[in-house]
Every structure is written in structure tokens, then in C-alpha cells.
Amino acid sequence: MRFFRGIAVPAKKAEHTVTNICQNGLTNGQGWWHMEHEHPGDLANLFDKHDLSIEDTRSGSGAVAAVCGCGDESGAIYYACRHNRSSDHNTPILIEFEADKSAAAVDGKDFLYSVFQGGDPERARPVLERSFGKAVQRYADRAWSTEDQSFRIAMCNLAIHDPEVIEAHHKNELVLAGRHGTIFRSAFTVTLPVGPEAIIRVSHPVPTQFVPQPDVRLVDLVRFAK
């Protein structure tokens, strides 16, 4: 499965960063970011648990280091050139790499979790199906069947690791506007390390002021949004 990662670094560190990624791949501790994800286990058995909670899906000891990435190049270029770029981190870098689907999870922190926790089902269902596939609907419907927020979050913890949801989201073409000004078609976390043999390309995209126009905004789907 092909992924694209967009970062921005200080100009004086740009060439060292490119060389390091080409030679060593993506490893834990590179840069200032730190991400983790944890596969909750048997999705089918957990889905059927009537009193499912966050504790059932996050052990606290099974998390592994991960890195964020998009399923499309344009999304990563936006992050490299706009969202992650600042006066100090002023040099965009685009990283294209391969990883097994089993190493990936949907990064739901800026969109999917908010929809599970506070989504209006009537407005959200069509968007979820188009952006995350039909498989996500059963998780969302179970989440919305109760006001228990621990149950809702736990259901999303299952959904982001469902292979059918991952595959459908990777193909998504809708531009989503999520929390914290994020704009993307697809967002993932991928287990580290990603070896140098999996790195396809590391390049400097031309800085752009282009901002993709969202097709769907989180704020229009939920009863609350941050």
C-alpha cells in the first residue's frame, strides 16, 4: 500500500533529513513528532461485547511507534507546504513509501473520532460510507446506539483497524476538513520502522499557497467540534 508523508524542517537541516530518510528509512525519534497506535485484538469478538470500553481496546502496554501519512500525494504536499510549514520549519519534504495494510490504521483523531462521539447519524452516514466505506457503518451505528462515550470511542478504536475500512479510506476522494484546520482525503498512522527499502522517493515539493477546498466539514456533521 502506497503512502505519502509531508513534513517541513529548517532549511539548514533539510539535506541531512533527506539523506537520513533515504539511508535509514523512517524510524522512531526522527524529528519532533511522536505517534503511537495499538491494534485492539480480535475485532469481531470485541465488536460483540455489549459493555465494550476504552480499556478493552487500549491496553496501555501494547502501543507501538507510528508515523502519520496520507494515501494521496496532494494531501501530503498540503501538509508539507502549508499545514506543517512555519517561519522556522520552512523547507517542505515529501516522502513516498510502501507499507503493508496490516501496518496501517486510519488516523481518526481529527475527524472520525469526533463523528463517532458526537455525529448526527442522518448527516454523517452518507459521508462515512463515501470516505471510509460501507464497513465503517456497523461500528458507527453501534457507537450511536448509546450515549456512553467510552463505548463510542472504543468502537472507533475497532473501526480504524478494520482492513476494509483502511482500504476504503485509502481510496477516498472526498476532501475532508477536520479539527485544528486539517484538510485531507485520507489520513493514516503506519507502524515504525519503515525500512529504507520501502522508501520510494524523498523530494522537495515546490511550495504552494494552494489550499484544497473541502467537500465536507466536520462541523457540519457533529453536534460539537473542536
Side-chain angles (χ1 to χ4, degrees):
M1 189 171 265
R2 187 68 54 93
F3 296 96
F4 301 86
R5 175 165 174 76
I7 63 174
V9 300
K12 63 182 180 181
K13 295 183 178 180
E15 292 313 311
H16 171 75
T17 300
V18 170
T19 300
N20 183 36
I21 293 171
C22 289
Q23 293 180 348
N24 301 308
L26 298 172
T27 60
N28 192 21
Q30 287 174 329
W32 52 268
W33 60 85
H34 179 73
M35 290 290 297
E36 292 182 334
H37 65 196
E38 178 179 0
H39 196 289
D42 190 319
L43 299 183
N45 283 342
L46 288 168
F47 181 84
D48 290 335
K49 194 172 188 295
H50 73 277
D51 58 348
L52 187 71
S53 68
I54 294 173
E55 288 71 24
D56 294 315
T57 57
R58 293 178 185 168
S59 68
S61 60
V64 296
V67 68
C68 295
C70 296
D72 66 299
E73 182 174 344
S74 62
I77 289 175
Y78 165 73
Y79 275 92
C81 295
R82 290 296 304 273
H83 191 82
N84 292 332
R85 197 166 173 233
S86 67
S87 57
D88 294 327
H89 292 73
N90 54 9
T91 305
I93 295 175
L94 176 68
I95 306 147
E96 182 179 355
F97 64 98
E98 287 279 344
D100 290 339
K101 182 167 58 177
S102 61
V106 172
D107 184 354
K109 66 180 181 297
D110 290 323
F111 193 88
L112 195 59
Y113 278 97
S114 292
V115 177
F116 270 56
Q117 289 180 262
D120 179 283
E122 185 175 350
R123 287 178 287 166
R125 278 194 188 97
V127 174
L128 290 189
E129 182 170 336
R130 286 189 63 184
S131 303
F132 299 90
K134 292 182 178 180
V136 80
Q137 297 287 25
R138 71 189 196 114
Y139 298 102
D141 285 338
R142 282 291 303 279
W144 295 328
S145 71
T146 177
E147 295 299 320
D148 183 345
Q149 286 295 325
S150 180
F151 186 89
R152 290 186 175 197
I153 293 170
M155 272 294 150
C156 199
N157 288 343
L158 303 185
I160 64 172
H161 288 279
D162 187 306
E164 292 183 31
V165 175
I166 293 168
E167 187 168 349
H169 188 50
H170 193 270
K171 298 175 182 176
N172 176 47
E173 295 184 355
L174 280 182
V175 178
L176 308 175
R179 299 170 67 234
H180 307 303
T182 52
I183 299 175
F184 56 93
R185 288 184 176 87
S186 58
F188 299 91
T189 55
V190 180
T191 300
L192 290 174
V194 175
E197 70 283 354
I199 303 297
I200 307 300
R201 174 171 54 112
V202 184
S203 61
H204 293 291
V206 176
T208 176
Q209 295 301 311
F210 173 72
V211 178
Q213 292 303 304
D215 297 308
V216 178
R217 297 180 184 275
L218 173 65
V219 69
D220 295 328
L221 302 182
V222 299
R223 300 184 181 96
F224 65 87
K226 296 181 180 179

